[in-house]
Amino acid sequence: MFTIYPAIDIRDGKCVRLIQGDYNRETVYNDNPLEVAREWERLGGTFIHLVDLDGAKAGHPVNDTLIGQIASAVNVPVQVGGGLRTRSDVERLLSLGVSRVILGTAAIEDRAFTEEVLGTYGDRVAIGLDARNGYVATRGWLETSEVKAEELARELAMKGADTFIFTDISRDGMMQGPNVEAIRSLAKASGRTVIASGGVSVMDDLLKLSAHTQEGIGGAIVGKALYTGSINLKEAVSAVTGTTR
């Protein structure tokens, strides 16, 4: 099954979008992320993707109170990434009603912690692989590691990772379409489900991705295209699932 994850990126308590992760290239789309989450659910979203941009930069969750409010306000599951580097961070967010947490920088910089969390929480943990030219970027995309995304995915799949979220940074916020081949390649390398992130700009992008569900592409995170109106969430959900809500 292919799932569309409407994205809400939170910075200073507002719903924003960055271009290629650049904190200096920000557009504020809504002052109330809670209202946005309710709207995405109303339009048929079945899983909401939240990013704590302040947390990603600070190295620890910053907007957890707001995230907890969002998780309580909607009747669909919520996944959250941004600054999760300790077990207490993970436990706190899960206790707030978050269904799945996303580890990004920690997956590179603290393998013992990552494996411990995967061993404890299993499919409630996703691994966010944000790649620049095939290499994993960390710390809110401010740094690029020497670790290849496919190699890390293979290793973590062996440690219990079931879900990967893959972002080709060069496509993020640029409305140029996702890097389908790179996403397929990662799914094949890991043998696990990969959620595409970055670059989805029109309905055709979602149809191209959903055509590879059997190969392990399990969904797509959609952000800017929903806010600009180039993709209608209700129509997109119907198109990829063949159902209406």
Side-chain angles (χ1 to χ4, degrees):
M1 182 177 172
F2 188 88
T3 301
I4 296 173
Y5 296 80
I8 300 174
D9 291 3
I10 302 169
R11 189 180 186 200
D12 295 330
K14 299 175 181 178
C15 178
V16 309
R17 292 297 290 167
L18 306 182
I19 293 179
Q20 295 183 328
D22 187 340
Y23 284 74
N24 295 314
R25 300 164 77 191
E26 173 190 272
T27 301
V28 176
Y29 283 108
N30 196 295
D31 289 337
N32 192 334
L34 192 63
E35 286 183 1
V36 177
R38 287 184 173 131
E39 177 68 359
W40 292 156
E41 180 185 18
R42 187 184 71 79
L43 291 173
T46 58
F47 212 126
I48 292 173
H49 175 80
L50 302 178
V51 180
D52 184 346
L53 288 173
D54 299 300
K57 199 169 186 179
H60 58 83
V62 172
N63 293 290
D64 14 351
T65 299
L66 176 56
I67 288 166
Q69 290 171 348
I70 292 171
S72 299
V74 296
N75 296 308
V76 295
V78 169
Q79 65 183 18
V80 178
L84 291 161
R85 312 274 169 83
T86 68
R87 181 160 179 157
S88 62
D89 290 339
V90 170
E91 290 174 345
R92 186 166 68 258
L93 281 176
L94 292 176
S95 74
L96 290 172
V98 169
S99 296
R100 186 159 64 201
V101 296
I102 303 161
L103 303 184
T105 295
I108 287 283
E109 297 185 354
D110 193 342
R111 188 66 63 84
F113 158 70
T114 301
E115 293 179 8
E116 176 192 2
V117 172
L118 284 170
T120 303
Y121 296 106
D123 61 6
R124 297 193 72 187
V125 179
I127 304 297
L129 298 178
D130 304 333
R132 186 179 281 116
N133 299 320
Y135 290 86
V136 179
T138 61
R139 300 190 174 273
W141 299 353
L142 300 176
E143 299 176 16
T144 304
S145 73
E146 296 180 358
V147 179
K148 287 190 174 182
E150 288 187 12
E151 291 176 3
L152 181 60
R154 262 193 296 265
E155 293 173 12
L156 292 178
M158 293 173 64
K159 299 296 182 180
D162 287 322
T163 304
F164 294 95
I165 297 173
F166 178 75
T167 306
D168 182 339
I169 294 172
S170 69
R171 305 293 182 103
D172 186 71
M174 302 305 290
M175 307 289 278
Q176 294 176 347
N179 188 338
V180 178
E181 290 311 307
I183 300 161
R184 290 176 65 195
S185 184
L186 187 75
K188 183 177 180 180
S190 65
R192 299 292 187 270
T193 298
V194 177
I195 298 169
S197 175
V200 173
S201 58
V202 293
M203 185 82 80
D204 192 51
D205 293 332
L206 292 171
L207 296 176
K208 286 177 180 175
L209 288 166
S210 63
H212 300 286
T213 304
Q214 298 300 319
E215 296 174 57
I217 299 182
I221 294 166
V222 188
K224 186 176 180 179
L226 295 178
Y227 295 97
T228 61
S230 66
I231 291 179
N232 176 286
L233 181 59
K234 189 172 184 178
E235 293 174 2
V237 170
S238 177
V240 301
T241 63
T243 61
T244 57
R245 282 186 66 194

